[in-house]
Amino acid sequence: MSNMAKAFARVNHNILLQKLLDRQVPHYLIIWLFSYLSDRQQRVCASGKTSTWKTLNGSMPQGFPLGPLTFLVMIDDLAPGCLTHKYVDDTTLTEIISSSTSDSHMPQYLQALTLWTQKNDMLINTVKTKELVIGRWDHQSNSLLSTKDGPIERVTEFKLLGVYVDSNLSWKKQQSR
């Protein structure tokens, strides 16, 4: 499972514009969206003090109703070569290995994901990215996965969209809640 780091804050408006154009979204909708996103400013108020206004370059405004939809446009072309489950900024790469002696291609899929994030001005949150092997596989001793930021942690369970998934596909964690 992979998670994009500060996904909504990293939406590059130029890349989003190109993806909308590629999908032949009507120009009047693109102009309307970008008039909303352009020249947005923010400031911070804390302990009775207020910062100066700062113009935002990129990102989706917090609470913007079209934020999730525009992010789905951003990740629509994410296709690392394996079964991929996308839920906003969470992405799960799945590989089915037919025999216990077969090699995994997950390092190549992770590399494809990494290249996609670079091309799309996104980052993988390596702290939240985990590897889970389900079932028997002879190569289970060490994690094969790493990024430039270090190895991906192999876990025996993790929480995915509110459901605990473990390496044995048991429901024990759900039942103990």
Side-chain angles (χ1 to χ4, degrees):
M1 186 184 105
S2 175
N3 185 281
M4 301 294 170
K6 300 182 180 182
F8 288 89
R10 294 194 57 87
V11 171
N12 182 313
H13 291 175
N14 293 325
I15 294 172
L16 176 60
L17 172 64
Q18 188 58 57
K19 290 183 182 212
L20 291 169
L21 290 170
D22 291 346
R23 282 158 187 77
Q24 300 177 346
V25 172
H27 286 100
Y28 68 91
L29 290 176
I30 294 173
I31 291 167
W32 173 81
L33 175 64
F34 279 85
S35 71
Y36 177 77
L37 295 175
S38 298
D39 299 319
R40 296 198 60 84
Q41 294 186 332
Q42 75 176 20
R43 66 181 178 176
V44 176
C45 298
S47 301
K49 297 185 182 199
T50 304
S51 69
T52 59
W53 286 99
K54 180 178 177 176
T55 301
L56 302 177
N57 298 319
S59 82
M60 285 292 127
Q62 191 170 15
F64 177 46
L66 293 179
L69 181 62
T70 56
F71 194 77
L72 290 175
V73 169
M74 288 293 295
I75 65 169
D76 185 50
D77 63 346
L78 169 58
C82 63
L83 184 58
T84 307
H85 308 279
K86 299 177 260 186
Y87 184 77
V88 192
D89 62 341
D90 287 326
T91 302
T92 302
L93 306 182
T94 303
E95 176 184 32
I96 298 172
I97 301 174
S98 58
S99 78
S100 62
T101 58
S102 297
D103 289 330
S104 171
H105 298 286
M106 195 55 71
Q108 292 90 331
Y109 303 143
L110 181 61
Q111 177 64 20
L113 173 66
T114 302
L115 291 173
W116 182 91
T117 60
Q118 291 168 355
K119 178 181 174 189
N120 288 275
D121 201 15
M122 294 280 173
L123 291 173
I124 297 173
N125 184 339
T126 54
V127 172
K128 291 185 177 180
T129 299
K130 307 294 180 202
E131 176 188 24
L132 175 70
V133 176
I134 297 174
R136 294 179 37 192
W137 187 46
D138 290 343
H139 301 292
Q140 289 190 35
S141 56
N142 320 13
S143 176
L144 303 171
L145 304 177
S146 65
T147 67
K148 65 178 178 64
D149 296 324
I152 301 297
E153 178 186 10
R154 181 175 283 174
V155 296
T156 57
E157 69 178 30
F158 69 90
K159 189 175 181 181
L160 176 64
L161 302 176
V163 176
Y164 289 94
V165 180
D166 70 33
S167 59
N168 297 316
L169 292 179
S170 75
W171 289 99
K172 291 178 185 174
K173 186 84 173 189
Q174 262 65 242
Q175 294 168 348
S176 66
R177 296 185 65 51

